[in-house]
Protein backbone atom coordinates (compact mmCIF):
# COMPACT_ATOMS: atom_id res chain seq x y z
CA UNK A 1 0.00 0.00 0.00
CA UNK A 2 1.28 3.44 -0.86
CA UNK A 3 0.91 5.98 1.92
CA UNK A 4 1.13 9.61 0.85
CA UNK A 5 0.12 13.00 2.21
CA UNK A 6 -0.77 14.02 -1.33
CA UNK A 7 -4.52 13.86 -2.14
CA UNK A 8 -5.37 11.65 -5.15
CA UNK A 9 -6.20 14.65 -7.29
CA UNK A 10 -5.62 18.39 -6.94
CA UNK A 11 -8.28 20.38 -5.09
CA UNK A 12 -8.28 24.03 -6.19
CA UNK A 13 -9.84 26.52 -3.81
CA UNK A 14 -11.69 29.83 -4.19
CA UNK A 15 -13.24 31.44 -7.27
CA UNK A 16 -10.68 29.88 -9.59
CA UNK A 17 -11.67 26.35 -8.53
CA UNK A 18 -14.25 26.39 -11.34
CA UNK A 19 -11.29 26.19 -13.79
CA UNK A 20 -9.62 23.25 -12.01
CA UNK A 21 -8.34 20.80 -11.19
CA UNK A 22 -5.39 20.94 -13.62
CA UNK A 23 -3.83 23.99 -15.30
CA UNK A 24 -1.35 23.92 -18.17
CA UNK A 25 1.11 26.82 -18.13
CA UNK A 26 3.39 27.36 -21.13
CA UNK A 27 6.48 29.48 -20.60
CA UNK A 28 6.52 28.34 -16.98
CA UNK A 29 10.31 28.32 -16.58
CA UNK A 30 10.59 32.10 -16.25
CA UNK A 31 8.88 35.46 -15.83
CA UNK A 32 5.13 35.72 -16.21
CA UNK A 33 4.46 32.02 -16.87
CA UNK A 34 6.42 31.06 -13.76
CA UNK A 35 4.39 33.55 -11.72
CA UNK A 36 1.15 32.03 -13.06
CA UNK A 37 2.36 28.55 -12.12
CA UNK A 38 3.20 29.61 -8.55
CA UNK A 39 -0.08 31.46 -8.16
CA UNK A 40 -2.14 28.51 -9.42
CA UNK A 41 -0.21 25.95 -7.38
CA UNK A 42 -0.80 28.07 -4.26
CA UNK A 43 -4.53 28.03 -5.09
CA UNK A 44 -4.47 24.22 -5.06
CA UNK A 45 -4.26 23.50 -8.81
CA UNK A 46 -2.22 20.70 -10.25
CA UNK A 47 0.06 22.49 -12.71
CA UNK A 48 1.66 21.27 -15.91
CA UNK A 49 4.87 23.22 -16.42
CA UNK A 50 5.91 23.61 -20.06
CA UNK A 51 8.94 25.33 -21.63
CA UNK A 52 12.31 24.26 -23.08
CA UNK A 53 14.47 24.63 -19.95
CA UNK A 54 14.04 21.30 -18.13
CA UNK A 55 16.34 22.19 -15.23
CA UNK A 56 14.41 25.35 -14.43
CA UNK A 57 11.08 23.54 -14.74
CA UNK A 58 12.31 20.76 -12.45
CA UNK A 59 13.51 23.34 -9.90
CA UNK A 60 10.13 25.08 -9.99
CA UNK A 61 8.31 21.76 -9.63
CA UNK A 62 10.48 20.91 -6.61
CA UNK A 63 9.73 24.28 -5.03
CA UNK A 64 5.97 23.87 -5.54
CA UNK A 65 6.04 20.38 -4.03
CA UNK A 66 8.20 21.56 -1.10
CA UNK A 67 5.70 24.35 -0.40
CA UNK A 68 2.90 21.79 -0.13
CA UNK A 69 1.50 22.15 -3.66
CA UNK A 70 0.26 19.20 -5.70
CA UNK A 71 3.20 17.54 -7.48
CA UNK A 72 3.52 19.32 -10.87
CA UNK A 73 3.98 17.59 -14.22
CA UNK A 74 6.99 18.84 -16.20
CA UNK A 75 6.90 18.80 -19.99
CA UNK A 76 10.15 20.11 -21.45
CA UNK A 77 10.10 20.82 -25.18
CA UNK A 78 10.25 23.43 -27.91
CA UNK A 79 6.74 24.77 -28.39
CA UNK A 80 7.77 26.50 -31.61
CA UNK A 81 7.69 23.04 -33.22
CA UNK A 82 4.76 20.78 -34.09
CA UNK A 83 6.44 17.99 -32.10
CA UNK A 84 6.67 20.19 -29.00
CA UNK A 85 2.98 21.09 -29.11
CA UNK A 86 2.00 17.47 -29.80
CA UNK A 87 4.14 16.26 -26.87
CA UNK A 88 2.40 18.71 -24.52
CA UNK A 89 -1.04 17.51 -25.65
CA UNK A 90 -0.05 13.85 -25.29
CA UNK A 91 1.53 14.35 -21.85
CA UNK A 92 -1.68 15.92 -20.51
CA UNK A 93 -4.18 13.50 -22.09
CA UNK A 94 -4.97 11.71 -18.83
CA UNK A 95 -5.32 14.93 -16.79
CA UNK A 96 -8.57 16.84 -16.29
CA UNK A 97 -7.26 20.16 -17.62
CA UNK A 98 -9.61 23.09 -17.01
CA UNK A 99 -7.27 26.04 -17.48
CA UNK A 100 -4.60 26.82 -20.06
CA UNK A 101 -2.24 29.76 -19.72
CA UNK A 102 -0.31 30.48 -22.92
CA UNK A 103 2.65 32.57 -21.80
CA UNK A 104 5.52 31.08 -23.84
CA UNK A 105 6.74 33.80 -26.16
CA UNK A 106 9.54 36.18 -26.96
CA UNK A 107 10.14 39.48 -28.70
CA UNK A 108 12.67 41.07 -31.01
CA UNK A 109 13.62 44.71 -31.52
CA UNK A 110 15.53 46.99 -33.85
CA UNK A 111 15.09 47.79 -37.53
CA UNK A 112 13.07 45.01 -39.17
CA UNK A 113 15.25 44.92 -42.27
CA UNK A 114 18.31 44.19 -40.13
CA UNK A 115 16.64 41.30 -38.35
CA UNK A 116 17.68 37.66 -38.80
CA UNK A 117 14.93 35.94 -40.74
CA UNK A 118 15.32 32.65 -38.88
CA UNK A 119 14.85 34.34 -35.51
CA UNK A 120 11.80 36.27 -36.72
CA UNK A 121 10.31 33.06 -38.09
CA UNK A 122 10.91 31.29 -34.75
CA UNK A 123 9.09 34.14 -32.99
CA UNK A 124 6.19 33.94 -35.46
CA UNK A 125 5.96 30.19 -34.91
CA UNK A 126 6.04 30.42 -31.11
CA UNK A 127 3.94 33.55 -30.60
CA UNK A 128 1.33 32.79 -33.28
CA UNK A 129 1.35 29.32 -34.85
CA UNK A 130 2.01 27.46 -31.62
CA UNK A 131 -0.51 29.71 -29.83
CA UNK A 132 -3.13 28.83 -32.43
CA UNK A 133 -2.40 25.07 -32.12
CA UNK A 134 -2.48 25.02 -28.31
CA UNK A 135 -5.61 27.16 -28.21
CA UNK A 136 -7.34 24.97 -30.81
CA UNK A 137 -6.40 21.62 -29.24
CA UNK A 138 -6.99 22.55 -25.60
CA UNK A 139 -9.98 24.71 -26.57
CA UNK A 140 -11.69 21.57 -27.93
CA UNK A 141 -10.96 19.71 -24.70
CA UNK A 142 -12.29 22.55 -22.55
CA UNK A 143 -15.43 22.88 -24.67
CA UNK A 144 -16.01 19.11 -24.49
CA UNK A 145 -16.02 19.23 -20.66
CA UNK A 146 -18.34 22.28 -20.73
CA UNK A 147 -16.14 24.49 -18.56
CA UNK A 148 -12.69 26.00 -18.77
CA UNK A 149 -10.46 29.03 -19.03
CA UNK A 150 -7.93 30.22 -21.58
CA UNK A 151 -5.38 32.94 -20.82
CA UNK A 152 -3.53 34.38 -23.81
CA UNK A 153 -0.59 36.71 -23.22
CA UNK A 154 -1.05 39.75 -25.42
CA UNK A 155 0.74 43.08 -24.80
CA UNK A 156 0.39 46.83 -24.79
CA UNK A 157 2.07 46.76 -28.21
CA UNK A 158 -0.82 44.72 -29.67
CA UNK A 159 -3.08 47.72 -30.24
CA UNK A 160 -1.10 49.63 -32.89
CA UNK A 161 1.96 49.23 -35.09
CA UNK A 162 5.22 49.76 -33.20
CA UNK A 163 8.32 50.84 -35.14
CA UNK A 164 11.50 49.04 -33.97
CA UNK A 165 9.54 46.07 -32.71
CA UNK A 166 7.18 45.97 -35.67
CA UNK A 167 7.09 42.21 -36.10
CA UNK A 168 6.78 41.41 -32.37
CA UNK A 169 3.89 43.90 -32.12
CA UNK A 170 2.27 42.20 -35.13
CA UNK A 171 2.47 38.81 -33.39
CA UNK A 172 0.79 40.30 -30.32
CA UNK A 173 -1.95 41.89 -32.47
CA UNK A 174 -2.61 38.34 -33.74
CA UNK A 175 -2.96 37.04 -30.19
CA UNK A 176 -5.15 39.95 -29.08
CA UNK A 177 -7.50 39.56 -32.07
CA UNK A 178 -7.67 35.78 -31.60
CA UNK A 179 -8.58 36.21 -27.93
CA UNK A 180 -11.27 38.84 -28.59
CA UNK A 181 -12.97 36.64 -31.18
CA UNK A 182 -12.71 33.46 -29.14
CA UNK A 183 -14.01 35.13 -25.99
CA UNK A 184 -17.40 35.61 -27.69
CA UNK A 185 -17.31 32.36 -29.62
CA UNK A 186 -16.42 30.08 -26.71
CA UNK A 187 -18.49 31.74 -23.96
CA UNK A 188 -21.66 29.76 -24.82
CA UNK A 189 -19.55 26.57 -24.57
CA UNK A 190 -18.54 27.42 -21.01
CA UNK A 191 -15.00 28.49 -21.87
CA UNK A 192 -13.80 31.87 -20.60
CA UNK A 193 -11.04 33.58 -22.58
CA UNK A 194 -8.97 36.52 -21.42
CA UNK A 195 -6.26 38.48 -23.23
CA UNK A 196 -3.67 39.88 -20.83
CA UNK A 197 -2.00 43.02 -22.17
CA UNK A 198 0.67 44.31 -19.78
CA UNK A 199 3.19 47.05 -20.39
CA UNK A 200 6.87 46.38 -19.55
CA UNK A 201 7.31 43.48 -17.09
CA UNK A 202 10.51 42.55 -15.23
CA UNK A 203 11.36 39.10 -16.61
CA UNK A 204 13.74 37.39 -19.01
CA UNK A 205 11.87 39.05 -21.88
CA UNK A 206 13.91 42.28 -22.16
CA UNK A 207 17.27 40.51 -22.43
CA UNK A 208 16.09 38.18 -25.20
CA UNK A 209 14.37 41.05 -27.05
CA UNK A 210 17.44 43.32 -26.65
CA UNK A 211 15.31 45.98 -24.96
CA UNK A 212 16.08 48.13 -21.94
CA UNK A 213 13.22 48.67 -19.52
CA UNK A 214 13.09 51.56 -17.06
CA UNK A 215 10.07 50.92 -14.89
CA UNK A 216 8.61 47.45 -15.14
CA UNK A 217 5.76 45.57 -13.47
CA UNK A 218 6.29 42.49 -11.32
CA UNK A 219 5.28 39.20 -12.99
CA UNK A 220 3.29 38.28 -9.86
CA UNK A 221 1.07 41.34 -10.34
CA UNK A 222 0.42 40.35 -13.95
CA UNK A 223 -0.49 36.77 -13.01
CA UNK A 224 -2.72 37.75 -10.09
CA UNK A 225 -4.65 40.49 -11.90
CA UNK A 226 -5.06 38.38 -15.03
CA UNK A 227 -6.49 35.45 -13.10
CA UNK A 228 -8.82 37.85 -11.26
CA UNK A 229 -10.10 39.08 -14.65
CA UNK A 230 -10.72 35.60 -16.09
CA UNK A 231 -14.46 35.13 -16.60
CA UNK A 232 -15.08 38.83 -15.97
CA UNK A 233 -13.32 40.69 -18.79
CA UNK A 234 -12.11 39.97 -22.33
CA UNK A 235 -8.97 42.09 -22.02
CA UNK A 236 -7.10 42.97 -18.86
CA UNK A 237 -4.25 45.48 -18.59
CA UNK A 238 -2.53 44.21 -15.47
CA UNK A 239 -0.51 46.59 -13.35
CA UNK A 240 -0.49 50.33 -12.89
CA UNK A 241 2.05 50.90 -15.66
CA UNK A 242 -0.12 49.29 -18.33
CA UNK A 243 -3.14 51.29 -17.20
CA UNK A 244 -1.23 54.59 -17.20
CA UNK A 245 0.31 53.92 -20.62
CA UNK A 246 -3.03 52.87 -22.10
CA UNK A 247 -4.73 55.87 -20.51
CA UNK A 248 -2.32 58.25 -22.21
CA UNK A 249 -2.52 56.45 -25.57
CA UNK A 250 -6.25 55.80 -25.73
CA UNK A 251 -7.27 59.35 -26.63
CA UNK A 252 -4.95 59.45 -29.66
CA UNK A 253 -5.86 58.31 -33.16
CA UNK A 254 -4.11 55.07 -34.19
CA UNK A 255 -1.47 56.91 -36.28
CA UNK A 256 -0.67 59.10 -33.28
CA UNK A 257 -0.23 56.05 -31.09
CA UNK A 258 2.20 54.59 -33.62
CA UNK A 259 4.31 57.76 -33.41
CA UNK A 260 4.30 57.77 -29.61
CA UNK A 261 5.22 54.10 -29.48
CA UNK A 262 8.07 54.83 -31.90
CA UNK A 263 9.49 57.29 -29.36
CA UNK A 264 8.98 54.81 -26.53
CA UNK A 265 10.81 52.09 -28.47
CA UNK A 266 13.67 54.44 -29.33
CA UNK A 267 14.18 54.83 -25.60
CA UNK A 268 13.96 51.08 -25.04
CA UNK A 269 16.23 49.97 -27.87
CA UNK A 270 18.82 52.78 -27.90
CA UNK A 271 21.88 52.22 -30.04
CA UNK A 272 23.17 48.99 -31.41
CA UNK A 273 20.30 48.35 -33.79
CA UNK A 274 21.59 49.82 -37.01
CA UNK A 275 22.71 53.21 -35.73
CA UNK A 276 26.17 52.12 -34.62
CA UNK A 277 27.03 50.63 -37.96
CA UNK A 278 25.59 53.63 -39.78
CA UNK A 279 22.86 51.56 -41.40
CA UNK A 280 19.40 53.15 -41.57
CA UNK A 281 20.03 55.53 -38.68
N1 LIG B 1 8.00 41.04 -20.19
C1 LIG B 1 7.26 41.94 -20.81
O1 LIG B 1 7.57 43.15 -20.78
C2 LIG B 1 6.01 41.52 -21.52
C3 LIG B 1 5.06 42.51 -21.79
C4 LIG B 1 3.90 42.17 -22.45
C5 LIG B 1 3.68 40.84 -22.84
N2 LIG B 1 4.64 39.89 -22.57
C6 LIG B 1 4.38 38.51 -23.03
O2 LIG B 1 4.31 37.67 -21.89
C7 LIG B 1 4.73 36.36 -22.26
C8 LIG B 1 5.75 35.86 -21.25
O3 LIG B 1 6.91 36.68 -21.35
P1 LIG B 1 7.89 36.89 -20.11
O4 LIG B 1 7.96 38.35 -19.88
O5 LIG B 1 7.53 36.00 -19.02
O6 LIG B 1 9.26 36.44 -20.79
P2 LIG B 1 10.38 35.43 -20.24
O7 LIG B 1 10.70 35.71 -18.82
O8 LIG B 1 11.48 35.48 -21.25
O9 LIG B 1 9.67 34.00 -20.31
C9 LIG B 1 9.36 33.43 -21.54
C10 LIG B 1 8.99 31.99 -21.33
O10 LIG B 1 8.73 31.39 -22.61
C11 LIG B 1 9.49 30.20 -22.72
N3 LIG B 1 9.87 29.94 -24.10
C12 LIG B 1 10.61 30.73 -24.91
N4 LIG B 1 10.80 30.12 -26.10
C13 LIG B 1 10.16 28.91 -26.02
C14 LIG B 1 9.99 27.83 -26.91
N5 LIG B 1 10.50 27.85 -28.15
N6 LIG B 1 9.28 26.74 -26.50
C15 LIG B 1 8.77 26.70 -25.24
N7 LIG B 1 8.89 27.70 -24.36
C16 LIG B 1 9.57 28.79 -24.74
C17 LIG B 1 10.73 30.46 -21.85
O11 LIG B 1 11.31 29.26 -21.39
P3 LIG B 1 12.55 28.49 -22.06
O12 LIG B 1 13.54 29.53 -22.48
O13 LIG B 1 12.99 27.61 -20.94
O14 LIG B 1 11.96 27.73 -23.20
C18 LIG B 1 10.11 31.19 -20.68
O15 LIG B 1 9.56 30.27 -19.77
C19 LIG B 1 5.23 36.45 -23.70
O16 LIG B 1 4.24 35.96 -24.55
C20 LIG B 1 5.45 37.94 -23.91
O17 LIG B 1 5.24 38.27 -25.26
C21 LIG B 1 5.78 40.20 -21.90
Amino acid sequence: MCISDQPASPLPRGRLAQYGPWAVVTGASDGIGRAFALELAAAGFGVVLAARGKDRLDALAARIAAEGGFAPVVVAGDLATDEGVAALCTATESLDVGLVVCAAGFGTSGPFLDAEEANERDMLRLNCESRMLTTHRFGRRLAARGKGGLVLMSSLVAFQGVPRTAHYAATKAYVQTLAEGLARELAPLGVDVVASAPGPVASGFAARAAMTMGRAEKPEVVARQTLAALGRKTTVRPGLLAKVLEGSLSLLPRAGRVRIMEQVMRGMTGKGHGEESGRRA
Side-chain angles (χ1 to χ4, degrees):
M1 191 171 105
C2 173
I3 298 172
S4 162
D5 290 340
Q6 194 79 257
S9 103
L11 290 170
R13 301 172 294 275
R15 189 187 78 87
L16 289 175
Q18 60 183 311
Y19 303 109
W22 281 91
V24 171
V25 182
T26 75
S29 65
D30 204 356
I32 297 169
R34 185 173 187 277
F36 270 109
L38 286 166
E39 198 71 27
L40 289 165
F45 279 76
V47 285
V48 178
L49 310 173
R52 293 168 305 174
K54 188 171 183 329
D55 289 351
R56 286 188 297 169
L57 294 176
D58 285 341
L60 179 60
R63 173 178 162 181
I64 288 171
E67 289 175 358
F70 198 86
V73 171
V74 167
V75 185
D78 186 347
L79 292 172
T81 65
D82 287 351
E83 298 74 29
V85 177
L88 177 60
C89 294
T90 305
T92 58
E93 259 168 13
S94 64
L95 303 176
D96 186 12
V97 174
L99 178 59
V100 180
V101 177
C102 296
F106 74 96
T108 58
S109 70
F112 178 68
L113 298 184
D114 289 352
E116 267 183 47
E117 261 184 20
N119 197 37
E120 297 299 317
R121 192 167 53 195
D122 281 351
M123 179 176 69
L124 184 62
R125 285 185 175 149
L126 181 65
N127 292 10
C128 300
E129 188 178 316
S130 154
R131 195 64 57 98
M132 179 277 291
L133 291 174
T134 8
T135 306
H136 188 248
R137 292 176 192 179
F138 283 103
R140 283 182 164 185
R141 283 173 62 174
L142 299 179
R145 70 201 283 283
K147 185 67 201 163
L150 274 169
V151 175
L152 303 188
M153 284 312 301
S154 171
S155 167
L156 181 79
V157 301
F159 302 94
Q160 66 285 299
V162 185
R164 290 168 167 261
T165 189
H167 186 211
Y168 171 63
T171 69
K172 291 290 139 177
Y174 174 97
V175 173
Q176 179 66 33
T177 303
L178 181 67
E180 287 173 12
L182 290 181
R184 298 273 308 166
E185 195 176 317
L186 302 188
L189 305 175
V191 181
D192 296 326
V193 181
V194 69
S196 176
V201 182
S203 69
F205 177 88
R208 190 166 181 195
M211 292 180 193
T212 310
M213 289 179 184
R215 292 189 57 190
E217 200 53 77
K218 289 182 181 156
E220 301 76 33
V221 172
V222 175
R224 214 167 292 141
Q225 293 191 8
T226 301
L227 290 171
L230 182 63
R232 294 174 168 146
K233 288 180 176 181
T234 300
T235 298
V236 58
R237 298 171 191 280
L240 186 62
L241 203 48
K243 289 178 184 68
V244 169
L245 287 168
E246 175 56 17
S248 50
L249 288 169
S250 62
L251 298 174
L252 296 171
R254 194 164 167 122
R257 296 208 307 263
V258 174
R259 282 196 290 275
I260 296 289
M261 289 305 289
E262 181 173 26
Q263 296 308 316
V264 171
M265 282 311 298
R266 269 189 196 282
M268 289 175 70
T269 55
K271 288 189 174 179
H273 300 276
E275 290 93 333
E276 279 174 346
S277 58
R279 289 170 294 162
R280 283 181 282 281

